Every structure is written in C-alpha cells, then in structure tokens.
Amino acid sequence: MEVSDCHKCGAPQQAFERDCPSCGEHLGFPNVLLANSSLELEALESRFQSSLSKCVMNRSSSEFSTLVELIAKTSHVVVSVPVDIALKIVTDPLTLYVNYEKLVGAGVRSRGSFANDSHRKIVAGALFGSFGDQILYGALSLNGRGLATYGDIYCTLKGDSISKRTSFLEENSYDFSQKYKDEQLPNGYRCDWGNRDKLVAIKLESEGLIKKSSDPKKWPSLVLNCDGVDRSKDKFVEAHIYGSFNIYSIDKIVVSEFMKESVLNKSMAEAIVDAFNNTAS
Amino acid sequence: MIRATVSEAMGWCIFDANDDGAAQLYSAFDMSKLDPIEQRYNLSVIDDWRILEVKDAESALLETKRLANTDRAISLLRLCLILKNRNELDWLYREVEELIVSCAPSEELIREMLVAPFADVEQLRDSAAHALSRGYNVVGNVFNELHGYQPHIKRLSNAWLRLPISIFLSLGASKETLWSEFVKNGLIVKLLNATDNHGVKRLFGAMAFEKTSPQERVGVTALGAAICTELFGNGDSKSVLAAEIFNDDSPSEEDSSDRIQVDSQAEFQRALLEIEGIKNALLRGDDFHANKYLAELAERQIKYGSEFAQKSLCNIAKKCSEMYRLDFELVCLEKSYLIDKNDPWTLLQFADYYKRTRLYNEAEDMAKEALGTPHDLVARCLIADIYSKKGNCAKAIQEYKTIPGWEEIVIVRTAIADNLRWLGRYDEALQEYDLIDHQGFGSYRVQAGRAEIARRQGELQNSLELYKDIIGFNNIDEHSLLVYKTAYASILKQVGEYQDALIMAEDVIEQSPFMIGTRVLRSSLLGLLDEGVIGLELLPGNPENLGNSTYDSWLRDYTRGVLLLKTNKYAEAKESLLRNLSASSINTEEKEILRLASAVSCLMPDIDKPIEAKDLLSQITGPCDAYITYLKLVLDYHVSVIEKDKLESARLLSELNMRRADNLVFLWEAVEALSDNRISEALDIEVESLLRWGAIAA
C-alpha cells in the first residue's frame, strides 16, 4: 500500500505515521490515512457503484439512497463498556480511556513480550501494522445502541470529537482478518468518517438487506445487530478510533436493553446515567 | 517471583507471554482467563497499569482484586458526590461500606482521593451529613475527613504548583509525576498532617535518607525546603496564608441564646470536645482555626464563671506543652492570666512554662505567688524543681524539705534522690531509691534514676538493661515512655549501636514529632552514620514557636556545632559553639559539655588555636559523667602533644591508661593516634566521641 511523502518537507515515509519523523508535521491519523489511500478509495467507490447498480436493477435505488442519506446524517459511533468502566468514566472526568494494548506504548510492559503476542498480531498487526495499539474499537449505530456483548453501558461518542480520527471496517476485524488470513486483505472494505454511508450501503446491499419498500425503521437493527449473548452472531460495522477519549468526548450514555436485571445493576446503571447527565450538564 | 502487569480500574492481570507467544490475560474478580483478542474492545484507563512482583500467580490475582476493589470504592464514593438526587442512595452507601469493611480500608481511600482539592467542598460536607443521617457512619466519616483536609490540600497543591521546575530536575521526574507518586505512597497525607515546617522537612529528610544517589538526596532535601518556604514562609506569613485559606470556611455561629440554656454538664462535655478539637487543629498545623476555637471557647465559658474558662485554657495549655507547642501554650496562659491573675492553676502552669523555657527567675516569681493557696504543695515542689534546673540542687533539696511531712511523700523523696544524683552523690541517691523501693513505692522513675547513675558511672550495659525494664513497664504513661525510649536510644548510641538507636529514635519521632531532644539525637546518629549533611538538615531549627531557650535547645546547638565539625565547617562550628557558651540560660554542666566541643573546634586544622583550647578545657571543673571526664583527659593530652609538653603528656597518658575501661576503648584509640602523632585521625575520633555522648538523660 502506497505511503505519501510528507506534504511539508517532502521526506519519504516508510509507513503510515501520525507525525513525520523528519520534520514532525502532523500527517493525519494513520488509520484514516490508510482508509483514504487511493487503492482503498478506488475499490470502495467501485463497490459502491456496483451496489447502486444492483439496487437500480432491483428497483430499490430509492431505499438505497434513503439509507445512504440516513447514515450520513445520523449515524454515530457507540463504544460499549462494562459498568465498572462506565462508573470510572463518570466519576473521574479527567481520566483518558485507551485501548488496553496501549499500555505497551506507555512502557508499562516490556514491548517484547506483548508486542510479539501471536494472537494479538492476527488482528491489529494485519489491519494496522505498528499502530494497532493506538486503536479503540466501537460500532457504528443509528440509535445509540451498541454491542451488549462487550458491555452493558453504551457510550455514544460525539462526532466532533472523533470524526477526523475514526475509520470503519465493514465487519468485525477478527472475522475479517481470519477470512483473509492467508492472502492479501482486499481493498474497499474500510473507509473514513465521510464515506461511512457508502460502506454501510455496500454492506447491507451485499447481504441482500436492501429491498423495495424496506421499512426505514428497521435500518438501525440491520446496521447493528446483537443479541447480547453470542459475540459470534454480532453484525456491525466496526469503528476504529485513533487515540483516547474521556467523558467530554461522550454525547450520550444509554443502558443496554440486555442488562441482567437486579436491583443493584439497575440502581447502578441509573446512577451512572444520572451522574453523566449531571457532569455533562 | 513472577511479574504481572495489573490494571486497578479493570481488575485485570497480564502475565508475560508463555511458550506459545501469547500473553495471559486474567480477570482478578472471578479469576477467569480472558481472550486478549475479544478484549480488544475493552477500554483501559491510561496510566492505570503497574507492575507487580509477587511470589506466584494467585498472589498477583489477589492483589489485583484488592487494588480493583479499592479503585471501585473510590469511584462509588465519587458517585455519591456527583448524584444530585440523594433520596435513593442507601444502596450506594451500603455498597461502599461493604467494600471498606471487607477490602478497601478508609485510610487508603482517603489517601487516594486526596489527589487534588475538591471543586465543591460544601458538597463533601453535605454528603457527610447525609450519609451520617442515614446511619452510614463509615462513608460519612470518610467524607468528613476529606472535608477536613480540603483547606490543607488546597494550600499544599497551590504551594506545589508554585515550585520552580528547576527543583525537579535532579529528581528526574515531573511535578505531576512526583505528585501522583506522593499520592500513591501516602506522602501527601503525611504532609497534610505535618504540623509545621519541621514536620515537613522531617518527611522529606526521611525520604532523602532512602535515596541511594547523592543527587537524589540533595534533590529531595531541596524539594522539602522549597515546600516549607512556600507553605510557611518565614514566621508571620503562616497565619496570613492560613487566613486566606480559611476565610470562607468558618463554622457557623450558634445563637447566643441557645448557649445560655445549655446546662453546665453539657457545657463541660462540649468544652472537652472543643479542647480536643483545638488540639487536633494544632496537630494539623491549623493554627488559624485553633485560635478561633480558643477565642470562642473562652468567650462562651466566661458566662459560666471565670474558673470554667481558666480551667479550659489551662487544660489546652497542658496539651500544648505535651505537643511542644510552646507558642500556643503561652497564648492560652496569657488569656487565662488576663481573666484572673490570682488563679493558682494558671500561676503554676505559667511558672512551669517559664521553667521549661528556662526563664527561671520569672518561673520562681510566678510559682511563689501560688504559695499559701490550696495548691501550696505543688508550688513548693515546683520552686524546688526550678532550683534544680538552675543547677542549685542543694537549695532544691532544702526547699523540698520545707514541705510539711515530706518524708511521707514519695514524689518528694524521689525528687530529693534525683537531686542527690545530680550532685554526684550517687551512693546516697541509690540508697534513697532502694529505700523507696523497699517501702513498696518504687516506680519507673526510681528505676530511671538508677539507670542514669549507671550511665554517668560508665556502666552503659547496666544502664541499657535498666532502661529496657522501664520500657517494658505496664503502667508507664505515654509521654514518659517516649522520654525513656529516647534515653535508651541515647545510650545505644553511646555504646555504638547506631542503627538500633536510629530505629528507636524514629519510632519516638513518629509518635511525637515535637520532641526536640529525640530529633537532635537522630541528627547526631545520622552524623555517626556518615550522613552528617542530612543530620544537619534534619536538625530542628529555632522557629518562633519554640522560643530560643527550651530544655533541649542548647543540645540542638551543641549537636549542630559538632555536626559542622564533622562536615569540615570548622569556623562556623566554632562560632556556633562559642556563641552558646555565653548564653545565660544553660547550666554549669551543659556549659562544660559545650566547652569540650569548643575546645575540639579550636584544635581543628584551619583554626589551630591550642592555647584557646587549653583555656576552655581548664574551665571544666565540675563533676561530669565518666565519659565526659575521660574525653576531657583525651583533649588535655591532645593539647599537650601539640605543645610538645612531654612531661604533661606522660602524666596524662598514665592517667588515661589507668582509667581505661571497656566502654572507653573508642576514646583510647584517639590516645593511641595522638601518641603516634596521627593528629588528624585523633581529631576524627574526638569529633565522633562528641556526637556519641549520650546527652539525652531521663
């Protein structure tokens, strides 16, 4: 995959880096640069045109257009977190949250032992190369619901906080990298914030979910589907956010519909939402 | 030992990669193994991870669980503060209390939550009141304590922020990192509890002592000094700063009509609580509030009669004297004296204060005013004790014997025996101690008298044994125990057990940071352990709140002088020692010790004034303990060697040889060095012997 020279000093870049190692100029977020490489963009556009053509043939082009518009206007990224982390988020506003692998970069663990972790390489290494530990994972959503299989509290991130540093992958990155583990990962399956509408439309069309007279009310559950139990059945567009976030990056907190009912759970979840609203206000 | 990387926020524990290259990720809550790939969706708190080195994986998981529960308890406490609707918080309080009781001690929570001042201090107070009103005392008390610390953490953090970056360079850590480290290791709480600049310096001094590199030690010491300057400035700035901090934090005044309706018993109980409150405020270094509470208490109690107010003031003064807060003691006594100049308790306590500050004439005058009152016996004893302190033990004994029926009063007989001891009449003193014992009135005080006689006679092992017995006594009061522990440590020092002595001294200082004598002892021990610079740093200063003539201040100046000799600052040392020689407040024996040290300073290479030394030594005439007597002889010999007075040298050598004892081997080495003309080596031993002198007597 081609890597552009530094736009300021012209130094050739070896890999997707956030800052030019030569002059320190900010080059952009590596995951977004990767998604915006010409090969990815061309392949994405090609897939989009192909999907659109199929919908025209199926007389569902109007639904296709409606979906694209809806995604562009209202979709957002939701990060699902366990109750304890949500509690921490609302009670310690200054704390930053990162991918847990980032601790490698913080020098807490010896880089050797963890960076060479063979399992970890399957996903982060294949998709992001050296900056995998900078990536936070979320899911694209239309209604503030997230993946309950990863946590009972859904945090909707503010578009303004993450749009420049977020990219998307058509499916769960583990499934994706497993599917192509013996070959080159295909282009056209990831995008930046601005092209997420196209990616979702392509995905739903390829799965045969865009039909004539499709009910727009069902779009949210088609974009993100989770039964709260089995992760392998989760269907979603995966969001990759570069860096960290804190409470001020969060727009809304919602309790999962799958949360196990108990007085303590319910009280705690309500308290977290209240506390978030108090802090955010 | 194994290494594990743990997250407090997550309760996760990662063990290093195994043979197949996979890191092992566990949740400490249910001890379950997690899939690192699936967990990539999970979040982690930045800077939350730390390395644990433990004996096995199970220990790592248990420790992780404990840390995670503490972290959770802190989050829940914060949640209590954030939630505006407090009506349904019982479950939350219950949850926190369970965590505190089972695995997250409240001290640890408070320590971790004192990372910065709270933005809304009133919320803490309201939350404390709410939790207490709902019966959740543990949570309520945590909030109360946090509330109490707020002015101090605000003051400390502001001071910290004002520190120049340059101070942190030698420590190799940023301001922020170091602050976080201090929060974690509990130093912040200790600093908040430090009552004055010495308390703060002591904490940093102890920390410096743990550092291995000189650079770090210097850095830590400099940091402590800078913080002290920021916090306390010089003198008056302390109260100004305190006023700035507390001006928005005044407790509400009660309606005056309510006060009058309070019955005397309730008032008494209330006064006791308030006295404790004033003591606690002083312990925290919160003089502003202590003064405020004191004024309120006195003003209110006057309405019940002056004697109530005076008793309370004397009570507080007594507590101040126990804390060595002589400045505040004086404030209380002056207030009480203004209320009624004839109140015998005030007169006696004032006299005792003057005695301790070595203003003996004022003390005597004040005590005499209490003669003929119902407290006549106490007044006479006090007057006699003042004579003792002035060095006139014979007159003291005479005074004691004017007390009607003194033969029947054990405390008077013990005091007479002590005076015999100070006069060097050891046999008579021992006889009297034995008699008191045989009559069944023996106490640890009698035992301490024997221990001191043993010390002065050079029987140091015997003295140690006797002090060891005293420390094991069951009925000994807390303050006396600390005094005897200090005396014990002092003799340990004299026999060369420096490390054990240091541990004992630190233990005492930990319990009573105001004991100047013990702190001086620690400094001399540090000097003996080749940490003279740190010893000087940790030496108590001469702050405004201690006056310039307390019991042990001469000893502080003596130790300072000898430490300066030890660190090769001869001129400064000599000047310091000689200056104190002219002080009127020190007695004959103390002057003689200072003369010895001054003589050594005159023999130092850069000074080289043996004639001055000889003159100083010739002025030492009184009865001294065996150690000092021998040291004087060594110095006499030193002068004779320098003056090449062979006849005198031979005479002194013969006397030194004759008086040689097992516990004086150390000093004999100086004699040998002098005989071989190894003057510099002899000087080193002489300086060390001055530091070794067990000056802290019970």
Side-chain angles (χ1 to χ4, degrees):
Chain A
M1 207 166 281
E2 92 282 24
V3 182
S4 303
D5 296 343
C6 172
H7 57 84
K8 188 180 176 197
C9 71
Q13 306 294 307
Q14 298 295 318
F16 288 103
E17 298 278 0
R18 184 176 162 175
D19 301 314
C20 171
S22 172
C23 69
E25 177 72 0
H26 180 66
L27 301 173
F29 294 95
N31 56 322
V32 177
L33 291 175
L34 203 57
N36 282 341
S37 67
S38 56
L39 288 175
E40 287 283 5
L41 286 173
E42 280 166 19
L44 183 73
E45 188 58 29
S46 166
R47 289 185 72 212
F48 180 72
Q49 291 304 328
S50 167
S51 292
L52 179 59
S53 300
K54 285 176 190 166
C55 286
V56 170
M57 300 286 285
N58 294 337
R59 300 178 179 227
S60 58
S61 60
S62 165
E63 287 74 10
F64 187 89
S65 302
T66 308
L67 175 67
V68 168
E69 195 180 337
L70 187 68
I71 297 291
K73 280 187 178 168
T74 64
S75 69
H76 41 262
V77 171
V78 174
V79 175
S80 303
V81 297
V83 170
D84 276 348
I85 289 290
L87 176 65
K88 190 97 182 153
I89 289 173
V90 297
T91 56
D92 193 1
L94 295 178
T95 300
L96 288 172
Y97 295 85
V98 293
N99 174 347
Y100 84 96
E101 295 174 37
K102 191 173 163 72
L103 66 99
V104 177
V108 177
R109 286 175 59 81
S110 61
R111 184 170 277 275
S113 64
F114 203 65
N116 292 333
D117 184 311
S118 56
H119 296 282
R120 181 183 158 276
K121 274 184 165 177
I122 294 170
V123 179
L127 277 169
F128 309 113
S130 63
F131 60 88
D133 56 7
Q134 301 285 340
I135 298 297
L136 283 169
Y137 296 84
L140 194 72
S141 172
L142 281 171
N143 58 0
R145 302 277 162 201
L147 297 168
T149 43
Y150 293 94
D152 284 322
I153 306 291
Y154 304 144
C155 302
T156 299
L157 301 184
K158 290 175 184 168
D160 289 347
S161 300
I162 59 164
S163 60
K164 287 182 180 166
R165 55 192 175 107
T166 301
S167 58
F168 298 89
L169 185 70
E170 197 174 291
E171 60 181 310
N172 175 331
S173 49
Y174 181 70
D175 294 345
F176 185 72
S177 45
Q178 283 295 92
K179 207 185 286 179
Y180 301 101
K181 67 179 173 187
D182 297 324
E183 50 193 291
Q184 181 81 28
L185 292 180
N187 291 319
Y189 287 80
R190 50 180 147 192
C191 69
D192 69 355
W193 182 267
N195 281 323
R196 69 194 190 285
D197 48 354
K198 291 181 178 171
L199 189 70
V200 173
I202 294 166
K203 176 182 161 96
L204 296 195
E205 186 282 320
S206 68
E207 290 170 353
L209 297 172
I210 303 177
K211 294 172 183 160
K212 175 84 179 148
S213 306
S214 288
D215 181 359
K217 287 180 186 167
K218 290 187 178 170
W219 292 131
S221 60
L222 296 177
V223 171
L224 187 149
N225 191 284
C226 173
D227 64 6
V229 181
D230 187 352
R231 288 180 182 176
S232 67
K233 290 183 183 166
D234 290 346
K235 299 281 183 196
F236 60 102
V237 171
E238 192 172 88
H240 303 147
I241 308 142
Y242 189 95
S244 57
F245 75 88
N246 65 9
I247 193 170
Y248 303 108
S249 317
I250 300 174
D251 186 33
K252 192 169 61 174
I253 282 186
V254 177
V255 181
S256 160
E257 66 276 34
F258 299 108
M259 186 175 201
K260 282 179 192 159
E261 275 292 333
S262 78
V263 176
L264 184 60
N265 280 351
K266 190 168 172 286
S267 304
M268 182 69 83
E270 284 170 0
I272 287 170
V273 174
D274 279 356
F276 173 76
N277 291 334
N278 289 345
T279 309
S281 65
Chain B
M1 295 292 274
I2 62 161
R3 265 163 53 99
T5 311
V6 304
S7 160
E8 293 176 22
M10 312 280 287
W12 279 6
C13 187
I14 302 175
F15 297 107
D16 283 352
N18 60 12
D19 294 342
D20 69 0
Q24 309 288 303
L25 176 64
Y26 284 86
S27 164
F29 288 116
D30 53 7
M31 307 282 181
S32 63
K33 192 174 178 184
L34 303 171
D35 181 345
I37 297 168
E38 289 199 340
Q39 295 307 325
R40 73 190 186 283
Y41 283 88
N42 235 321
L43 299 172
S44 161
V45 179
I46 206 158
D47 298 333
D48 170 50
W49 296 81
R50 64 161 88 170
I51 303 277
L52 283 184
E53 289 205 348
V54 283
K55 62 175 181 177
D56 53 29
E58 192 184 348
S59 309
L61 289 169
L62 285 173
E63 178 60 7
T64 309
K65 187 175 180 179
R66 191 191 68 75
L67 291 169
N69 275 326
T70 304
D71 194 67
R72 182 178 158 81
I74 291 168
S75 296
L76 292 175
L77 282 170
R78 288 187 175 140
L79 191 61
C80 296
L81 294 171
I82 294 171
L83 292 174
K84 286 183 180 156
N85 181 4
R86 294 218 173 97
N87 294 331
E88 294 175 1
L89 279 183
D90 285 0
W91 66 272
L92 195 47
Y93 292 145
R94 215 165 25 243
E95 184 84 356
V96 182
E97 294 223 347
E98 275 174 24
L99 282 170
I100 291 175
V101 170
S102 62
C103 52
S106 53
E107 304 79 46
E108 206 167 320
L109 301 184
I110 289 166
R111 188 188 73 200
E112 298 262 343
M113 290 180 82
L114 284 172
V115 65
F118 277 77
D120 189 348
V121 179
E122 290 314 305
Q123 201 165 28
L124 273 174
R125 196 161 66 182
D126 294 348
S127 294
H130 185 258
L132 290 170
S133 72
R134 305 289 297 174
Y136 295 96
N137 295 349
V138 179
V139 175
N141 286 333
V142 168
F143 285 140
N144 254 339
E145 279 205 51
L146 284 170
H147 181 258
Y149 275 121
Q150 288 314 299
H152 308 290
I153 183 97
K154 187 175 169 189
R155 181 180 176 206
L156 181 63
S157 57
N158 283 340
W160 187 266
L161 290 171
R162 285 195 298 269
L163 292 176
I165 300 292
S166 54
I167 288 186
F168 296 86
L169 291 178
S170 59
L171 294 165
S174 69
K175 252 186 205 187
E176 295 75 15
T177 311
L178 214 56
W179 178 270
S180 303
E181 193 185 304
F182 289 171
V183 169
K184 284 273 175 203
N185 69 20
L187 183 73
I188 295 295
V189 175
K190 286 182 188 164
L191 284 172
L192 298 178
N193 287 325
T195 49
D196 58 10
N197 55 353
H198 302 296
V200 173
K201 277 187 180 165
R202 188 172 67 81
L203 287 168
F204 279 93
M207 192 163 58
F209 196 57
E210 289 168 8
K211 300 285 179 192
T212 48
S213 79
Q215 187 195 12
E216 280 181 308
R217 285 184 174 184
V218 170
V220 169
T221 309
L223 179 60
I227 271 284
C228 279
T229 308
E230 284 294 341
L231 284 175
F232 302 110
N234 41 12
D236 295 345
S237 59
K238 182 175 177 182
S239 55
V240 173
L241 186 56
E244 280 170 14
I245 293 166
F246 294 114
N247 61 4
D248 59 348
D249 193 28
S250 317
S252 59
E253 286 278 341
E254 283 196 34
D255 190 304
S256 59
S257 59
D258 288 345
R259 291 187 206 149
I260 292 162
Q261 289 165 11
V262 179
D263 64 59
S264 59
Q265 180 59 28
E267 175 55 30
F268 174 69
Q269 293 298 337
R270 181 176 173 176
L272 286 184
L273 284 173
E274 283 176 330
I275 290 168
E276 205 55 30
I278 292 166
K279 180 187 159 189
N280 288 335
L282 287 172
L283 275 172
R284 292 197 305 269
D286 182 356
D287 285 22
F288 177 79
H289 267 130
N291 264 310
K292 187 174 161 62
Y293 297 157
L294 184 72
E296 285 173 3
L297 175 66
E299 190 186 331
R300 196 183 63 247
Q301 290 211 322
I302 285 284
K303 293 180 177 146
Y304 293 92
S306 61
E307 72 273 26
F308 284 102
Q310 285 189 293
K311 277 201 168 65
S312 291
L313 287 165
C314 287
N315 204 335
I316 299 164
K318 184 171 177 295
K319 286 185 189 296
C320 290
S321 76
E322 286 164 5
M323 294 189 292
Y324 295 84
R325 280 300 305 267
L326 304 186
D327 56 336
F328 211 80
E329 184 185 2
L330 181 61
V331 170
C332 298
L333 292 172
E334 281 175 345
K335 274 190 199 299
S336 184
Y337 193 69
L338 277 176
I339 294 171
D340 180 2
K341 289 179 178 159
N342 297 315
D343 175 55
W345 269 121
T346 304
L347 290 169
L348 289 170
Q349 202 151 341
F350 224 141
D352 190 60
Y353 165 83
Y354 280 137
K355 181 190 79 178
R356 280 180 280 114
T357 50
R358 298 191 173 220
L359 297 166
Y360 297 129
N361 293 335
E362 288 84 344
E364 193 179 337
D365 291 347
M366 198 65 100
K368 280 181 175 166
E369 284 188 48
L371 288 172
T373 70
H375 304 298
D376 185 77
L377 171 64
V378 181
R380 284 183 190 282
C381 284
L382 186 56
I383 291 165
D385 196 30
I386 292 164
Y387 293 149
S388 302
K389 291 288 179 287
K390 284 166 94 169
N392 198 340
C393 295
K395 193 172 177 186
I397 292 173
Q398 228 173 7
E399 182 66 30
Y400 277 122
K401 289 187 175 173
T402 64
I403 295 170
W406 65 270
E407 299 93 335
E408 306 300 321
I409 305 169
V410 176
I411 193 166
V412 174
R413 284 175 55 197
T414 311
I416 290 173
D418 288 341
N419 276 279
L420 289 169
R421 164 163 62 94
W422 290 323
L423 282 168
R425 290 155 63 182
Y426 300 139
D427 291 343
E428 290 171 69
L430 282 170
Q431 264 179 17
E432 188 60 26
Y433 288 139
D434 288 346
L435 196 60
I436 293 168
D437 248 356
H438 291 149
Q439 289 171 346
F441 300 119
S443 69
Y444 54 80
R445 233 191 111 180
V446 167
Q447 189 82 331
R450 290 195 185 103
E452 274 305 298
I453 289 175
R455 183 179 74 83
R456 291 177 70 88
Q457 290 182 324
E459 298 165 8
L460 299 183
Q461 286 304 331
N462 184 22
S463 181
L464 273 178
E465 288 301 319
L466 289 164
Y467 272 122
K468 208 171 177 178
D469 282 352
I470 297 170
I471 292 168
F473 272 36
N474 288 329
N475 60 346
I476 192 164
D477 69 89
E478 200 178 322
H479 179 72
S480 300
L481 181 64
L482 295 176
V483 170
Y484 293 128
K485 278 185 170 180
T486 303
Y488 181 72
S490 176
I491 299 172
L492 279 175
K493 180 181 74 164
Q494 208 168 335
V495 298
E497 302 282 348
Y498 305 143
Q499 204 62 49
D500 288 349
L502 188 61
I503 291 168
M504 181 69 85
E506 287 289 2
D507 176 47
V508 173
I509 293 167
E510 182 77 25
Q511 293 173 63
S512 180
F514 301 101
M515 288 186 71
I516 298 175
T518 321
R519 290 162 64 189
V520 169
L521 171 68
R522 176 179 62 184
S523 285
S524 64
L525 283 162
L526 288 169
L528 289 163
L529 289 164
D530 287 331
E531 299 287 358
V533 176
I534 297 174
L536 275 168
E537 278 291 332
L538 292 182
L539 206 54
N542 192 17
E544 67 286 353
N545 65 349
L546 293 174
N548 58 4
S549 53
T550 53
Y551 272 162
D552 301 314
S553 61
W554 81 272
L555 192 56
R556 174 197 59 209
D557 296 334
Y558 163 82
T559 306
R560 180 172 180 273
V562 181
L563 282 171
L564 285 168
L565 288 177
K566 177 92 178 161
T567 49
N568 304 334
K569 293 175 182 164
Y570 308 133
E572 203 180 333
K574 185 184 171 202
E575 194 261 325
S576 170
L577 290 163
L578 286 175
R579 187 181 58 234
N580 279 289
L581 255 180
S582 57
S584 61
S585 57
I586 59 173
N587 66 32
T588 313
E589 187 173 349
E590 292 161 357
K591 273 190 178 152
E592 297 194 336
I593 308 295
L594 278 168
R595 282 192 183 107
L596 269 185
S598 304
V600 174
S601 74
C602 292
L603 295 170
M604 283 298 169
D606 291 353
I607 310 279
D608 196 20
K609 292 199 169 151
I611 296 171
E612 265 185 54
K614 192 174 180 180
D615 182 44
L616 283 162
L617 291 169
S618 69
Q619 294 172 41
I620 301 172
T621 53
C624 295
D625 72 27
Y627 187 86
I628 288 296
T629 305
Y630 201 78
L631 179 56
K632 180 189 174 292
L633 277 176
V634 172
L635 294 178
D636 284 336
Y637 180 59
H638 189 139
V639 173
S640 71
V641 168
I642 288 178
E643 289 183 333
K644 299 189 182 353
D645 183 343
K646 288 186 181 168
L647 195 64
E648 180 68 356
S649 291
R651 186 189 71 75
L652 286 166
L653 191 58
S654 160
E655 191 172 349
L656 283 162
N657 192 30
M658 201 170 62
R659 290 176 178 244
R660 258 169 82 176
D662 286 348
N663 58 342
L664 297 173
V665 171
F666 177 75
L667 281 170
W668 180 253
E669 286 173 10
V671 176
E672 286 179 333
L674 288 166
S675 301
D676 295 343
N677 216 27
R678 287 178 277 126
I679 305 295
S680 159
E681 200 179 313
L683 277 168
D684 286 346
I685 298 171
E686 285 158 9
V687 170
E688 206 157 327
S689 64
L690 288 169
L691 279 177
R692 257 172 99 141
W693 176 60
I696 314 294

